[in-house]
Amino acid sequence: MFFRNRFLFLLALAALLAFLSLSLQFLHLIPVKPIKDDGLHSKNRKRIMPNPLTESPAIDPIYEAQFYCNVPSISERSMEGHGPHYFKLISVHVLIRHGDRYPLYAIPRTKRPDIDCTLMPNRKPSHPLLEAFISHMSKGSEAQMDGSLNSLPRYPSHSLCEMGELTQTGIVQHLQNGQLLRDIYIKKHNLLPIDWTNKHLYLETTGKSRTLQSGLALLYSFLPDFDWKKINFRNQWSTIFCSGHCECQRRNHYLEEEQRHQYSLRVKKIDLEKTYADMARIVGIPTRQLRASNPIDSMLCHFCHNASFPCTKNGCIDIEHFKVIKKHQLEDEKDTNKVFVIFFFIFP
């Protein structure tokens, strides 16, 4: 009797689960097998789905700054290279920004951040390919590079970074990027043949050492010990890669309007004005001059490289100053993104 009741219970439970499954499929709450054009079921494959991203209710300037720093520490999990199994990979287009760099601006009357831009494999952050990368870059005389690119150094080498110079962190970031792309597109998808030529690879960079060096770092880990004779870097004079199609009067008009809009918002932010005024007092310059020096650029370098903020006889710039300016920068970016989305739909 016990076994009979248990059997009936399991049978009822199975029927309930089957009913729920069919109901969910009918309501499209769970995926069903894809159907081919000929009406046959195609092979169902597992998909790695990313966790849904939800926007945090409040801006956390410290978290966002750490996210911006992007210090290489752990292996990244990525959705790179995933697609429907019936698609064929033909080419890959990678548009990257340069890696971590030294500031382009200095806070007036303060000491510059003491950052070493020489590459040292035994200094963190590092990468297993860093030493080989340095060695390979010294053999690059046979590469073809447009215009002034030939005169640029292929990796950073100053013991005290120059303004805007790529740091070791920046090199390591792109060594990791290239390695990730290699694992996916070379090892998994066989994108390039073993006997690849310069026809298989198109390289273009702006004429800054930090962008060329970032590209070379990514390229080296993507194609370790590549043949320099196959490399042809083209010089792109426009930072937005618009080549000969950069003129857009309406775009310039709305950019100017947006800049005026952002300025009017900033001057109304009392805490931001107080922060700039206090920092200007510390360094001993007018508030307007401090604003013009774009202090967040230098402060981010201090923050990302764990260097102390500058001090003077009048006091020290501190993390609270940084948090206020970074918070308002993020708010400006968020507001700007909304404005340009509206412009996109109004003026296609």
Side-chain angles (χ1 to χ4, degrees), residues 133 137 145 153-155 175 211-221 226 228 231 233:
F133 166 77
M137 290 303 105
M145 297 194 183
R154 294 180 180 85
Y155 59 90
L175 286 173
T211 56
L212 175 64
Q213 292 165 6
S214 295
L216 286 170
L218 186 149
L219 180 63
Y220 182 76
S221 52
F226 57 78
W228 280 103
I231 301 304
F233 261 103

Side-chain angles (χ1 to χ4, degrees), residues 119-160:
L119 300 183
M120 301 177 63
N122 59 350
R123 185 180 67 213
K124 293 183 179 180
S126 189
H127 191 277
L129 291 176
L130 182 56
E131 188 171 3
F133 166 77
I134 298 169
S135 174
H136 196 67
M137 290 303 105
S138 64
K139 306 170 186 175
S141 58
E142 295 180 323
Q144 300 177 50
M145 297 194 183
D146 285 353
S148 61
L149 295 181
N150 254 325
S151 63
L152 298 177
R154 294 180 180 85
Y155 59 90
S157 59
H158 294 94
S159 56
L160 177 59

Side-chain angles (χ1 to χ4, degrees), residues 109-120:
R109 299 186 183 180
T110 63
K111 184 182 177 183
R112 291 170 50 193
D114 187 12
I115 309 296
D116 186 352
C117 274
T118 56
L119 300 183
M120 301 177 63

